[in-house]
């Protein structure tokens, strides 16, 4: 499995940096965001390193793993009234950590359009 030893989220996957893990399987890890933007803010990452979703194109095991984990965690967190999934990509997309990740946000009303 490809990882980047310098990458923050690879270190979280490997438990070299602590995080509050809420779900884990063979493909993904889901953990609480350190700077939550909503009452529930979980970051879901593939265990393999991809810089962004463009690099992960066609890696359907990991892409499915991210989406299925998000739905499972949303149910576990009782987000029955709804939630938002976000993948920031690249500079204009607002991506700050270059390891593909899916944000799960919930517990309040979301605005549209986003900022
Ligand atoms: P991005 O801005 O790249 O879409 O999202 C990166 C997210 O990772 C941000 O929401 C940020 O708060 C979160 N984050 C950055 N560093 C850490 C960390 O060390 N631990 C955790 N749990 N979250 C982090
Ligand atoms: Zn990584």
């Amino acid at each position: 499995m490809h990882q980047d030893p310098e990458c923050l989220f690879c270190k979280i996957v490997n438990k070299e940096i602590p995080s509050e893990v809420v779900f884990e399987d063979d493909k993904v890890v889901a953990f609480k965001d350190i700077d939550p933007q909503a009452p529930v803010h979980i970051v879901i990452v593939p265990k393999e390193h991809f810089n962004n979703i463009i690099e992960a194109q066609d890696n359907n095991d990991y892409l499915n793993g991210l989406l299925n984990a998000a739905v499972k965690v949303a149910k576990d967190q009782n987000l029955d009234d709804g939630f938002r999934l976000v993948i920031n990509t690249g500079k204009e997309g607002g991506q700050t950590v270059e390891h593909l990740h899916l944000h799960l946000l919930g517990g309040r009303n979301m605005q549209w359009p986003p900022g």
Side-chain angles (χ1 to χ4, degrees):
M1 182 170 63
H2 172 68
Q3 289 196 318
D4 176 350
E6 301 302 315
C7 167
L8 174 66
F9 285 174
C10 284
K11 290 179 182 171
I12 286 180
V13 166
N14 296 332
K15 312 288 193 314
E16 293 162 34
I17 291 177
S19 69
E20 285 190 66
V21 173
V22 297
F23 175 76
E24 179 168 5
D25 65 14
D26 61 324
K27 293 279 182 297
V28 306
V29 181
F31 54 90
K32 292 187 182 176
D33 197 289
I34 204 168
D35 181 21
Q37 302 302 311
V40 175
H41 188 174
I42 308 291
V43 177
I44 305 154
V45 305
K47 288 187 167 179
E48 181 156 340
H49 181 89
F50 303 96
N51 283 333
N52 52 46
I53 196 168
I54 300 165
E55 277 202 0
Q57 186 178 18
D58 297 328
N59 285 271
N60 294 329
D61 285 357
Y62 284 107
L63 295 173
N64 284 335
L66 290 175
L67 290 174
N68 282 312
V71 173
K72 182 183 168 21
V73 173
K75 286 181 178 171
D76 290 347
Q77 300 282 331
N78 301 310
L79 298 178
D80 306 316
D81 291 335
F83 53 86
R84 182 167 291 174
L85 300 176
V86 175
I87 300 178
N88 295 326
T89 304
K91 184 161 62 74
E92 290 200 352
Q95 184 177 5
T96 61
V97 178
E98 289 200 344
H99 177 130
L100 169 61
H101 49 282
L102 176 60
H103 294 265
L104 167 63
L105 298 145
R108 65 167 169 83
N109 281 309
M110 298 295 157
Q111 307 302 313
W112 195 264

